[in-house]
Amino acid sequence: MSSALTDLYRYPVVQAPMAGGVSCPQLVSAVAEAGGLGFLAAGYKTADGMYNEIKQLRRMTGQLFGVNLFMPQPNLADPSAVEVYRHQLAGEVAWYETPLGDPDSSGDDGYEAKLAILLEDPVPVVSFTFGCPTREALDALAGVGTYTVVTVTSPEEAQAAQWAGADAICVQGVEAGGHQSTHRDDPQNDDTGTGLLSLVAQVRETVQLPLIASGGIMRGSQIAAVIAAGAEAAQLGTAFLACPESGAHLLHKQALTNPLFVRTALTRAFSGRPARGLVNRFVREHGPYAPAAYPQVHHVTSGLRKAAANAGDAQGMALWAGQGHRMARELPAGRLVELLAEELDAAQAALSTRSTQ
């Protein structure tokens, strides 16, 4: 266990926790062995599923690692809006010959059971998405030697995390792939969002905690930029998607650099919560009509997404990706960590040379 962020890694490279099977033990182990900090994603898993992956990872590496938890979500969805969206998806049901899922499945993602396991058998780091834990939960994790990180998208959320007792903050810019980790899902803010460099600077002036910067980072020179802006490390997700150890579907990996997918967008189409992904047919046809209803919409579309993947149809899959997706490199995860560290050193050396001239 560690009491300082910089003690958790050799290189300031954090592999983002990507739910849905992407951040599997193989990927986390490779990143950790190379000197980065890897994260297992407990989101969408049962408590037992999370624990089995932790045990598997421990057999693969003795290095430090983290586990990410989704915070329970308040049930603010309008059932009638969800029902209208279900009718909107009738064509998808017919096309993929699969039924829609139950929108009333659990909304807490097994949070309490997962937290209990992590208190009983601690891991080095635990991070949180979609909200801030209570002081009691963070104090309990600190009591068993676990370092805690809360993901934020604004200075106000960062301040709340500091007040609650987090050890560090992951600052997520609007460029990030996957779900925006806002603590409160407000549809009125769908067209807003702050770029990473600006957000890091704002949060740096708001709190005194160490910062991890996340959002669109694909090169070591970008890691140097966020460190110069006030972060201690950078968290990368899309950069690791294409790695052979990643659990992402092959079509997802290929889509990152496929010229058919030229841009990303924030959409509620697949989950009912804003998430950045490659713009495909599903996003274009259904994104404008998707209600603010997470995780109800996630459960509704689950079968459709699986059916699209099984059919080899990337146009119906949730292709989460950050704005830098076209810079993805198909490298082993360990080599990618080393290359990012080399690029970081080169960028910092160049900056130092310029400052002395």
Side-chain angles (χ1 to χ4, degrees):
M1 304 300 181
S2 173
S3 60
L5 178 61
T6 53
D7 292 339
L8 299 173
Y9 48 72
R10 183 160 72 249
Y11 305 123
V13 177
V14 179
Q15 165 252 310
M18 294 169 280
V22 179
S23 297
C24 56
Q26 292 80 3
L27 177 61
V28 179
S29 173
V31 170
E33 288 291 320
L37 177 63
F39 269 91
L40 286 174
Y44 307 136
K45 294 186 177 73
T46 63
D48 286 343
M50 176 197 75
Y51 193 41
N52 287 333
E53 286 204 345
I54 291 172
K55 290 188 288 187
Q56 181 182 351
L57 179 57
R58 283 172 171 158
R59 291 193 293 267
M60 299 172 70
T61 181
Q63 302 299 319
L64 302 181
F65 64 93
V67 174
N68 175 260
L69 300 182
F70 284 176
M71 293 297 299
Q73 298 298 291
N75 186 6
L76 303 177
D78 178 355
S80 62
V82 175
E83 188 60 27
V84 169
Y85 192 56
R86 286 172 59 88
H87 287 293
Q88 167 79 21
L89 297 174
E92 304 290 341
V93 171
W95 179 256
Y96 292 114
E97 299 181 335
T98 192
L100 298 175
D102 179 8
D104 297 322
S105 299
S106 173
D108 68 359
D109 201 53
Y111 173 76
E112 293 294 344
K114 292 172 183 175
L115 185 61
I117 289 173
L118 295 172
L119 289 172
E120 178 70 24
D121 190 358
V123 298
V125 191
V126 172
S127 69
F128 299 88
T129 296
F130 299 151
C132 183
T134 63
R135 174 169 286 279
E136 290 74 19
L138 292 172
D139 285 348
L141 287 166
V144 297
T146 296
Y147 193 90
T148 56
V149 182
V150 174
T151 309
V152 307
T153 61
S154 72
E156 294 76 18
E157 292 175 353
Q159 200 165 48
Q162 179 172 266
W163 287 340
D167 291 313
I169 290 171
C170 180
V171 180
Q172 185 195 50
V174 73
E175 306 94 333
H179 284 95
Q180 290 288 291
S181 187
T182 51
H183 293 188
R184 180 174 177 268
D185 183 16
D186 185 349
Q188 294 184 351
N189 295 330
D190 278 5
D191 294 326
T192 65
T194 306
L196 182 59
L197 284 176
S198 177
L199 186 58
V200 167
Q202 292 176 43
V203 173
R204 179 73 289 155
E205 293 190 0
T206 304
V207 300
Q208 286 73 53
L209 297 178
L211 307 182
I212 301 170
S214 178
I217 300 174
M218 304 293 288
R219 297 287 187 267
S221 57
Q222 293 171 289
I223 300 176
V226 295
I227 289 176
E232 276 68 37
Q235 179 172 283
L236 297 81
T238 307
F240 285 102
L241 265 176
C243 295
E245 299 91 342
S246 155
H249 194 284
L250 178 60
L251 288 175
H252 193 169
K253 295 181 180 185
Q254 294 172 339
L256 296 175
T257 53
N258 187 329
L260 284 175
F261 303 103
V262 297
R263 66 186 181 91
T264 65
L266 288 171
T267 181
R268 293 181 182 268
F270 294 104
S271 72
R273 216 180 200 279
R276 184 173 297 282
L278 300 175
V279 176
N280 59 8
R281 178 193 59 78
F282 198 100
V283 171
R284 288 192 297 270
E285 292 183 2
H286 303 296
Y289 310 102
Y294 177 89
Q296 287 85 353
V297 171
H298 165 79
H299 296 312
V300 165
T301 66
S302 177
L304 295 177
R305 288 179 274 124
K306 291 176 183 175
N310 290 336
D313 182 9
Q315 295 295 336
M317 296 169 60
L319 303 173
W320 304 137
Q323 288 184 341
H325 65 94
R326 296 190 67 80
M327 300 169 69
R329 298 178 282 200
E330 191 178 342
L331 295 170
R335 176 56 191 143
L336 179 56
V337 171
E338 294 168 353
L339 183 56
L340 289 166
E342 293 166 7
E343 293 171 345
L344 169 61
D345 286 344
Q348 291 180 326
L351 183 62
S352 177
T353 299
R354 292 192 200 102
S355 65
T356 58
Q357 289 177 346

